[in-house]
Amino acid sequence: MSRILFSCQEKGGVGKTTLVRALAEAVEGAPIIEIDASHRLLELENRVSFFQMRADREAIERTGGRAARAEFDAVLDELSSATLPTIVDVGANTSVSLFTMLADVAPELAAEFAVCVVVTNEPGAMVETPKLLALSKSWTSARFVIENRLHGPIDPFWLHANVNGATLTSLDAQVLEDGAEDYLQSGGLAIVDRLNPKKLREVHGIGPAIRIQRDLAKFRLEAMRAVRPAAEWLVG
């Protein structure tokens, strides 16, 4: 039975896709299903099967979820055919509809499921996190929460009260040298091993080039540590 891990958060801008990239680094060769309005995991090339979500939240609510269910049919086919540990990147405003549907059909799929919810200290993300954990409880065998301290830490009492038995890890805010973010935007975490030190020094100078390379390597390592429990579950 294949294992499938959903990375999710209804609120955008929490660093979820960065952590999907860390999962992709941690579980080499794992297929990735990307469900979003636009294709973002371009650097992972043929590892990614992209499914575009066209129905907006208003359409989903107006049709009682029917607009989303029709779009999820192709996703269900992809999930049912998975034979390897698979990562699913669920875009913002999509998880609730997807998880509601999966609660009905998951028993029919020959797979074992887990969710990894990414949360920041922003109110929107904090509101959605316990909802997603509750929605997925009946059809998952493992649940993970990653506290992304992008904007600062979350109150530990809130975390204790709301992770609802999930495995909790954290990712500290990262301070990157000027120019480092550009490499992440163009090539994701996969670019770290492909950076050419000589070319970096030609472009940025010796000092900044060394700091860029070190900062990116540290960022990748810290992100992979944050996803480690989820990655270990995925590979069994």
Side-chain angles (χ1 to χ4, degrees), residues 94-150:
T94 303
S95 300
V96 169
S97 299
L98 177 62
F99 288 2
T100 300
M101 181 269 296
L102 282 171
D104 288 332
V105 304
E108 307 298 324
L109 303 175
E112 187 177 357
F113 299 107
V115 298
C116 180
V117 184
V118 181
V119 60
T120 64
N121 64 2
E122 298 164 289
M126 294 173 70
V127 166
E128 295 295 342
T129 295
K131 293 180 183 178
L132 294 172
L133 291 171
L135 272 173
S136 60
K137 188 173 184 178
S138 66
W139 51 272
T140 55
S141 59
R143 292 173 299 149
F144 305 90
V145 173
I146 299 177
E147 175 201 7
N148 189 356
R149 296 171 178 169
L150 185 65

Side-chain angles (χ1 to χ4, degrees), residues 2-142:
S2 59
R3 287 189 165 188
I4 299 174
L5 174 68
F6 294 86
S7 177
C8 60
Q9 174 55 256
E10 281 291 272
K11 186 189 179 304
V14 299
K16 175 183 58 61
T17 299
T18 295
L19 289 161
V20 167
R21 288 178 163 119
L23 281 165
E25 292 287 293
V27 187
E28 292 185 20
I32 300 162
I33 298 172
E34 184 180 15
I35 310 169
D36 211 335
S38 59
H39 185 17
R40 302 172 66 186
L41 300 171
L42 299 173
E43 78 280 1
L44 296 173
E45 299 176 338
N46 60 3
R47 287 179 64 181
V48 181
S49 298
F50 173 61
F51 296 88
Q52 187 174 27
M53 283 296 296
R54 298 177 180 84
D56 58 23
R57 180 181 285 274
E58 182 181 346
I60 291 169
E61 292 176 351
R62 186 177 62 250
T63 62
R66 290 192 302 276
R69 287 201 301 268
E71 294 194 338
F72 290 145
D73 285 346
V75 175
L76 279 178
D77 290 340
E78 189 76 9
L79 293 173
S80 66
S81 64
T83 58
L84 296 171
T86 299
I87 302 161
V88 184
D89 182 14
V90 186
N93 300 316
T94 303
S95 300
V96 169
S97 299
L98 177 62
F99 288 2
T100 300
M101 181 269 296
L102 282 171
D104 288 332
V105 304
E108 307 298 324
L109 303 175
E112 187 177 357
F113 299 107
V115 298
C116 180
V117 184
V118 181
V119 60
T120 64
N121 64 2
E122 298 164 289
M126 294 173 70
V127 166
E128 295 295 342
T129 295
K131 293 180 183 178
L132 294 172
L133 291 171
L135 272 173
S136 60
K137 188 173 184 178
S138 66
W139 51 272
T140 55
S141 59

